[in-house]
Amino acid sequence: LNRNEIFEHTTRHGTYRGMRKNNFDKIINAKKIPLKDCDEIGLDALKKLYPGKVFSIFITAPKEHIHARLINRGDDDNSIRVRMQDYDDKMSKTKYYDKVVQNIELQTATNEVLDHIRTFYESV
């Protein structure tokens, strides 16, 4: 890969993740809205590359909801323990994001996210 192609990389939950600039550029040039799941490091990289054009939303739920969802989807005890330990750290970083959405009821959270995205892109 070209040195400038991957502009941010990290390991999260044991998985290596990186972002390619050319993928974002293709989407933007097609007049579409790119969406990316990233942490505060990736968000910072995006904001530096595309100043004034990045809007961030942190989607979360109360800790007890997250715990129940992990159990219900069948995650193993160790995975659940790691994710729950990670929860407080992630919540302390919500200040890096433009909006925080509570995903307690999926349709309500989806509508809120879409409203935030529409509002942002109407103003750009």
Side-chain angles (χ1 to χ4, degrees):
L1 294 174
N2 180 319
R3 181 192 292 172
N4 295 323
E5 190 173 336
I6 301 286
F7 64 91
E8 183 273 337
H9 60 88
T10 189
T11 301
R12 187 165 35 155
H13 303 296
T15 303
Y16 180 78
R17 296 175 177 225
M19 289 195 255
R20 294 177 188 230
K21 183 180 182 314
N22 64 344
N23 290 346
F24 278 83
D25 291 339
K26 285 178 188 176
I27 295 167
I28 292 167
N29 291 337
K31 305 290 187 218
K32 295 183 179 182
I33 299 171
L35 299 176
K36 176 68 176 128
D37 173 21
C38 60
D39 60 15
E40 69 281 357
I41 296 167
L43 178 57
D44 185 54
L46 280 170
K47 286 186 174 192
K48 285 178 181 172
L49 266 177
Y50 305 101
K53 296 181 180 181
V54 174
F55 179 75
S56 58
I57 302 172
F58 187 94
I59 302 172
T60 189
K63 195 172 190 176
E64 61 275 7
H65 286 233
I66 299 288
H67 187 262
R69 290 173 187 172
L70 294 172
I71 290 170
N72 289 337
R73 74 179 193 190
D75 286 19
D76 63 76
D77 290 342
N78 186 56
S79 176
I80 292 171
R81 183 183 50 75
V82 169
R83 294 291 292 269
M84 290 294 88
Q85 287 173 341
D86 196 38
Y87 181 88
D88 293 329
D89 179 57
K90 294 297 180 198
M91 291 304 296
S92 74
K93 296 177 179 166
T94 60
K95 63 186 173 206
Y96 295 102
Y97 297 82
D98 298 310
K99 296 288 181 182
V100 176
V101 171
Q102 289 289 321
N103 179 14
I104 296 169
E105 195 279 313
L106 182 60
Q107 192 58 57
T108 301
T110 300
N111 291 340
E112 188 175 343
V113 166
L114 291 173
D115 287 344
H116 288 312
I117 292 170
R118 278 188 207 101
T119 299
F120 176 76
Y121 279 99
E122 288 171 359
S123 70
V124 176

